[in-house]
Amino acid sequence: MIGDRPPGKGMSDTDDYIQERVLALGEDGHLVAIAADPPAASQRPAVIVLNAGVLHRVGPHRLHVHLARRLAAAGFPSVRLDLSGIGDSRPIAGEQTFRASAVADVRTTMDHLAAEGHAGGFVLFG
């Protein structure tokens, strides 16, 4: 079960067996993400859901939460990522442009998922 709500209280039936976990990524753990894992091991691509503008990882009207959970229920590992300086992710030190830091953040996330054994490739959403 996800969160502290009992089954059937505003959540879909698929949410009852989706496991979510917090990821602290990067050398200093500055990136915060939520991984939604499928109920069984999968070789399907992992979907990385990026911030919608300056909104944090839940997305507009919690769209990214629902999307990530449904993807996981369908066998696609998913990660809702806060890019550096947005939501719970701290900004990185230095003078990188937003574009350069966003690319570095996504690479860090893909490297982490690959090390966990998600070898089915990646899909970026956002």
Side-chain angles (χ1 to χ4, degrees), residues 16-30:
D16 292 337
Y17 57 88
I18 300 301
Q19 296 293 313
E20 289 186 314
R21 57 199 166 91
V22 176
L23 303 177
L25 306 172
E27 289 181 21
D28 61 353
H30 76 283

Side-chain angles (χ1 to χ4, degrees), residues 68-83:
R69 290 175 181 171
R70 288 195 181 221
L71 286 166
F76 293 89
S78 62
V79 174
R80 295 181 283 123
L81 174 66
D82 276 343
L83 296 171

Side-chain angles (χ1 to χ4, degrees), residues 6-94:
K9 298 295 182 187
M11 300 172 71
S12 72
D13 293 338
T14 60
D15 291 341
D16 292 337
Y17 57 88
I18 300 301
Q19 296 293 313
E20 289 186 314
R21 57 199 166 91
V22 176
L23 303 177
L25 306 172
E27 289 181 21
D28 61 353
H30 76 283
L31 290 175
V32 176
I34 304 295
D37 297 320
S42 171
Q43 287 300 310
R44 291 185 172 174
V47 179
I48 301 172
V49 182
L50 305 173
N51 297 101
V54 296
L55 297 176
H56 70 300
R57 69 185 169 275
V58 300
H61 306 287
R62 295 181 53 83
L63 171 69
H64 296 171
V65 174
H66 300 296
L67 173 66
R69 290 175 181 171
R70 288 195 181 221
L71 286 166
F76 293 89
S78 62
V79 174
R80 295 181 283 123
L81 174 66
D82 276 343
L83 296 171
S84 294
I86 300 176
D88 292 321
S89 292
R90 295 186 316 272
I92 54 174

